[in-house]
Amino acid sequence: MKTEVFRVDPGNPDKYALRKAASVIRSGGLVAFPTETVYGLGANALDPKAVRKIFAAKGRPVDNPLIVHVHEPGGAAYLGVVDGRSRKLMDLFWPGPLTLVIAAAPGVPSEVTGGLETVAVRMPDHPVALVLISASGVPVAAPSANRSGRPSPTTAGAVIEDLDGRIEIVLDAGPTDVGVESTVLDVTGDVPVLLRPGGVSIESIRKAVGDVVFSPCGKEAGRSPGTRYRHYAPSIPVVLLDPEGVWKNDPRIGDARLPVAYVGISPAPVPVFAQVRFESVKQYAGGLFSALREMERSGAGVILAELPPEEGVGLAVRDRLRRAAMKPVNGNS
Ligand code: TXA
Ligand code: MG
């Protein structure tokens, strides 16, 4: 298949491109589109055959459920149970990078939920995404538009790098703003559980609804199938620059055959072959995935990546870096 790329101005989205993209969604095809976090790979969430195409295009394990995107908060009530606390979170954070896991309505295909009794919903904060969903007339299931296991795409170029020839359309509205994916919060129990740190900070969620449970890589992580996998990983190894200095003992740093690329905020602690430096944690989040892709292309043999402090979006950056640095395990591509 030939993938068509349409450039769209977020301030004034081109009607022809959006009508065409919406008709592809309605007829069961795949469209990559910008959100405020990363580019998504969208299909009609109510069409099991269309949803299966997402898994095939990405090479994604079928037990890893998808987020369903809506263009207004009211859309969530058709997909699952919206209680008072969920409504409050929607009022505060939608449109925006917060995904809520709620009890699923019977009509949601098991291809979307990965066979779970819950469904993840979010209303993205991007004019192109919102117009696309509303013009499609259906909720849009969309994971990040990368090949499974690769860094998420924050530009249309990164989508093409991974999915050219596998999807019908890419809507190119320039680089995304937040850069890391949405926060995934399970609100089905008494105390909300943070399944994936992301664009909305755990501090601001706690301020809104009180206690939130989070144990990084702990047993809660097992409840969000996607967080079990090595993920966000470039094709060269990533070594974490931690305050304890464990990286100093990593045999890959200092190996003359593996020139070091560096990403981080502080100056690189060793001589490097290539680097991307950021001025703030917010900028780090915004540029992390494209920096990983750029350093992988640089000819370096290993990436040394600085772990930012845990506050705010720093928690999400640390989570993505830790997953990028995990050793590959069978079936985790
Ligand atoms: O920012 C984002 O969230 C982007 C944009 C495109 O919206 N999407 C995204 O989707 O990152 P994806 O598929 O790459 O990550 C979705 C995460 C996965 O970790 C998945 O396991 C989890 O959400 N998830 C989806 N449905 C779930 C459910 N019912 N229960 C628990 N976790 C769920
Ligand atoms: Mg993803």
Side-chain angles (χ1 to χ4, degrees):
M1 137 185 357
K2 176 144 173 39
T3 301
E4 273 189 287
V5 180
F6 293 98
R7 180 73 221 167
V8 283
D9 173 1
N12 180 20
D14 170 32
K15 294 210 175 57
Y16 171 78
L18 276 153
R19 256 205 306 266
K20 182 142 190 200
S23 83
V24 166
I25 297 270
R26 268 198 308 275
S27 59
L30 302 182
V31 173
F33 63 96
T35 77
E36 80 281 30
T37 56
V38 301
Y39 276 73
L41 178 59
N44 178 355
L46 304 178
D47 176 351
K49 213 168 130 203
V51 173
R52 282 200 291 270
K53 289 185 191 165
I54 292 179
F55 289 89
K58 280 185 60 101
R60 180 178 174 108
V62 291
D63 67 347
N64 191 1
L66 305 177
I67 297 172
V68 182
H69 296 68
V70 293
H71 75 280
E72 53 182 12
Y78 294 97
L79 298 163
V81 178
V82 178
D83 61 10
R85 187 178 54 193
S86 307
R87 195 168 305 282
K88 179 170 185 193
L89 288 165
M90 291 172 186
D91 284 346
L92 281 170
F93 297 108
W94 282 14
L98 176 66
T99 294
L100 296 175
V101 173
I102 59 178
V108 181
S110 61
E111 283 78 0
V112 170
T113 62
L116 300 172
E117 283 170 0
T118 54
V119 62
V121 285
R122 113 171 172 95
M123 177 183 174
D125 188 12
H126 195 292
V128 173
L130 295 175
V131 172
L132 173 70
I133 302 162
S134 110
S136 302
V138 292
V140 173
S144 49
N146 50 283
R147 290 278 291 169
S148 188
R150 301 264 305 139
S152 293
T154 54
T155 62
V159 175
I160 287 295
E161 205 171 278
D162 280 16
L163 297 176
D164 194 19
R166 295 171 167 268
I167 62 180
E168 277 85 353
I169 287 179
V170 181
L171 296 175
D172 175 2
T176 60
D177 179 32
V178 179
V180 289
E181 302 87 342
S182 62
T183 302
V184 180
L185 189 71
D186 182 333
V187 286
T188 58
D190 284 344
V191 180
V193 180
L194 181 69
L195 299 178
R196 178 178 74 181
V200 169
S201 72
I202 187 168
E203 295 90 337
S204 59
I205 297 172
R206 284 198 172 122
K207 213 184 274 169
V209 294
D211 198 18
V212 173
V213 181
F214 177 53
S215 66
C217 304
K219 86 174 180 309
E220 281 76 25
R223 281 169 60 173
S224 189
T227 57
R228 287 199 298 263
Y229 301 107
R230 177 177 190 254
H231 215 274
Y232 316 109
S235 57
I236 53 177
V238 175
V239 172
L240 302 178
L241 174 60
D242 56 282
E244 288 80 44
V246 178
W247 63 276
K248 289 183 186 146
N249 303 323
D250 193 297
R252 293 168 294 189
I253 303 296
D255 178 339
R257 289 162 306 171
L258 296 175
V260 179
Y262 173 75
V263 295
I265 297 172
S266 321
V270 290
V272 293
F273 171 78
Q275 64 177 319
V276 179
R277 291 269 308 280
F278 301 101
E279 274 164 21
S280 64
V281 178
K282 188 167 179 291
Q283 258 196 24
Y284 198 172
L288 170 66
F289 289 135
S290 66
L292 292 178
R293 284 176 184 260
E294 186 186 330
M295 293 301 94
E296 149 189 281
R297 283 193 304 267
S298 72
V302 59
I303 297 171
L304 183 61
E306 182 183 22
L307 287 169
E310 259 180 34
E311 294 89 54
V313 79
L315 188 66
V317 174
R318 292 169 69 94
D319 169 81
R320 305 308 184 268
L321 285 172
R322 266 206 303 269
R323 286 178 209 291
M326 274 161 75
K327 291 201 178 62
V329 183
N330 277 349
N332 281 8
S333 71

